[in-house]
Amino acid sequence: MRTLTTTEDLAAFCQEAQTHPYVTVDTEFLRERTYYSKLCLVQLAMPGTDDSKAVLLDPLSEGLSLEPLYELFRDTSVVKVFHAARQDLEIFFVEAGVFPEPLFDTQVAAMVCGFGEQVGYETLVRKIARQGVDKTSRFTDWSRRPLTDAQKTYALADVTHLRQIYEFLAAKLEETGRSRWVQEELGILTSPDTYIIAPENAWKRVKTRTSSPKFLSIVRELAAFRESYAQSRNIPRNRVFKDDALVELASNKPKNSEDLGRSRLLLREARKGDIANGILAAVETGVNCAPDKMPKPDRTREKLQVNPALADLLRVLLKAKTESAGVAAKLIAPASDLDALAGGLRDVQALSGWRAEVFGDDALRLCEGKIALAAVGNDVKIVELD
């Protein structure tokens, strides 16, 4: 198990990797104590059937530059293969502003090849590579050195088996003509908007039971302060204060430190100093927000007049179409989108891109009364209506 610890060794590996059609990539990181993930290990493998073309890259090595790796990521002649790439891509985007191109995500590919929704790597290794994966080192501290042999073996397996999985899925996509489906999905993964959390939009992630614009204006200011504070100090947002404390603060609208001291949910550290001052300033700003600047919750779906019979027919159609296509139904349309369609909304994901080919186009025709559904034996058939 070879570990790269110098820029020169990394550059040599990447130069050789650039002569191959693809390279598999995985990372190990920590995020429990920081806002941004701390990259602790990168695993890489070139095509092959053993471990001789696979390496571990130690980004914690003194004096090591990851620039040769980023150059490999920018080389469009080499496909970069990940499994469930989102968190890996976030690390590289935050660290260097780079996305691997072209990208192949085996989890996304597996979903459109009939392996179910958000299928795990271990499942694909078992079903495609016919191997097992030892997960005992999964939750170890990857920042500690030296790494154990068990950690290295576990980490390397994440890219060696990935080669066979990639080759199988790439061939399957070519055979079924679904490569474009995967590329549509990967467009989201390689968009900077997926990873940039603007403090002013952080309130949208907070679940509340109240949709009063004044209440939400306080939630917005508190969430923005928390996000900015966590980002600037690289600490988890929950270390500043948790969501339940945020909602409590927005409800109680504290005006001074004495009011903060009466909070049931606020951490002790947040009742003084910079955090306390930030909370009080955020609450004051939210309370004094002009009505035309307050958040306006989208109640479009709440007011929908859903046709329950049509919603049931859409569920039947979705089940029939996804079983026929071998695609997970939830990947096409969640239940809420089916209700939205039955209520007359058309701004749903199922009506665009490859989802429209599988389900959306026929769903629209069903809503418009142009087709009907009929049971033929164990199958559901579409019947064209004049």
Side-chain angles (χ1 to χ4, degrees):
M1 291 180 284
R2 186 158 62 106
T3 302
L4 307 180
T5 58
T6 68
T7 306
E8 292 74 21
D9 286 345
L10 173 59
F13 176 87
C14 291
Q15 286 173 5
E16 184 181 355
Q18 286 175 296
T19 67
H20 292 277
Y22 72 85
V23 60
T24 55
V25 190
D26 191 39
T27 69
E28 305 299 339
F29 55 87
L30 293 180
R31 197 171 192 169
E32 289 80 10
R33 298 184 292 273
T34 57
Y35 183 91
Y36 300 106
S37 296
K38 178 182 180 180
L39 182 62
C40 298
L41 193 68
V42 183
Q43 304 96 281
L44 302 156
M46 293 178 277
T49 57
D50 58 24
D51 293 349
S52 63
K53 296 291 186 180
V55 298
L56 302 175
L57 168 61
D58 187 354
L60 303 183
S61 299
E62 186 176 351
L64 173 71
S65 168
L66 294 182
E67 187 54 35
L69 178 64
Y70 300 144
E71 283 300 313
L72 175 61
F73 284 174
R74 296 183 189 104
D75 187 341
T76 57
S77 69
V78 184
V79 177
K80 272 63 73 171
V81 182
F82 292 76
H83 179 82
R86 192 190 187 287
Q87 293 187 79
D88 304 311
L89 299 188
E90 181 180 18
I91 292 172
F92 297 126
F93 175 71
V94 170
E95 289 280 337
V98 63
F99 288 116
E101 185 183 2
L103 170 70
F104 189 99
D105 188 324
T106 55
Q107 185 179 71
V108 175
M111 284 193 289
V112 303
C113 286
F115 284 88
E117 184 187 14
Q118 293 185 326
V119 60
Y121 178 69
E122 187 176 1
T123 299
L124 293 182
V125 172
R126 186 177 67 253
K127 290 186 175 182
I128 296 175
R130 306 295 181 186
Q131 300 287 331
V133 176
D134 181 1
K135 307 296 282 187
T136 54
S137 296
R138 183 177 184 182
F139 298 109
T140 57
D141 185 347
W142 291 99
S143 67
R144 296 187 63 179
R145 295 294 183 271
L147 295 173
T148 66
D149 287 344
Q151 284 178 304
K152 292 179 180 180
T153 299
Y154 163 84
L156 212 59
D158 278 348
V159 287
T160 52
H161 297 314
L162 194 56
R163 298 175 296 193
Q164 189 174 348
I165 293 170
Y166 164 66
E167 291 174 3
F168 176 89
L169 292 174
K172 191 77 171 175
L173 291 172
E174 185 68 26
E175 175 189 329
T176 57
R178 296 182 179 181
S179 296
R180 180 174 53 82
W181 296 11
V182 173
Q183 291 308 310
E184 284 185 28
E185 297 299 296
L186 295 183
I188 299 172
L189 285 178
T190 54
S191 168
D193 292 341
T194 302
Y195 308 101
I196 296 173
I197 301 177
E200 62 269 22
N201 293 326
W203 69 277
K204 297 176 183 178
R205 302 162 59 103
V206 180
K207 294 182 180 179
T208 66
R209 294 181 179 179
T210 305
S211 57
S212 157
K214 181 173 280 293
F215 173 79
L216 290 180
S217 71
I218 304 173
V219 169
R220 179 179 62 190
E221 298 304 323
L222 285 168
F225 162 70
R226 179 177 67 172
E227 206 72 22
S228 296
Y229 189 92
Q231 289 176 353
S232 65
R233 289 160 177 79
N234 195 24
I235 60 174
R237 62 176 68 87
N238 283 345
R239 284 265 302 277
V240 186
F241 47 84
K242 296 183 179 180
D243 281 3
D244 55 359
L246 188 155
V247 173
E248 180 193 51
L249 291 166
S251 299
N252 295 341
K253 300 184 280 295
K255 296 180 180 179
N256 51 49
S257 57
E258 187 177 342
D259 290 342
L260 287 180
R262 286 193 283 268
S263 169
R264 295 183 304 108
L265 302 173
L266 200 61
L267 297 172
R268 182 179 301 175
E269 295 78 7
R271 302 182 188 201
K272 57 187 178 181
D274 290 342
I275 298 179
N277 292 335
I279 289 172
L280 294 175
V283 170
E284 183 178 6
T285 301
V287 167
N288 295 323
C289 181
D292 62 327
K293 301 294 185 183
M294 292 179 180
K296 295 177 176 59
D298 184 1
R299 294 194 176 93
T300 305
R301 295 202 175 195
E302 295 176 13
K303 298 177 180 178
L304 283 180
Q305 298 295 316
V306 178
N307 181 333
L310 179 55
D312 287 342
L313 284 174
L314 286 168
R315 287 171 171 77
V316 173
L317 177 65
L318 178 64
K319 187 173 188 297
K321 298 289 284 187
T322 52
E323 285 182 355
S324 175
V327 181
K330 287 184 179 179
L331 181 62
I332 302 293
S336 58
D337 279 3
L338 298 181
D339 289 340
L341 280 171
L345 281 188
R346 296 297 178 258
D347 184 21
V348 296
Q349 194 176 36
L351 298 183
S352 63
W354 67 271
R355 289 174 173 82
E357 298 175 28
V358 176
F359 167 73
D361 291 342
D362 283 332
L364 268 184
R365 295 203 297 149
L366 182 65
C367 292
E368 294 166 357
K370 295 179 179 179
I371 61 172
L373 303 179
V376 181
N378 293 326
D379 297 325
V380 173
K381 302 293 184 183
I382 291 175
V383 178
E384 300 287 341
L385 300 178
D386 295 333

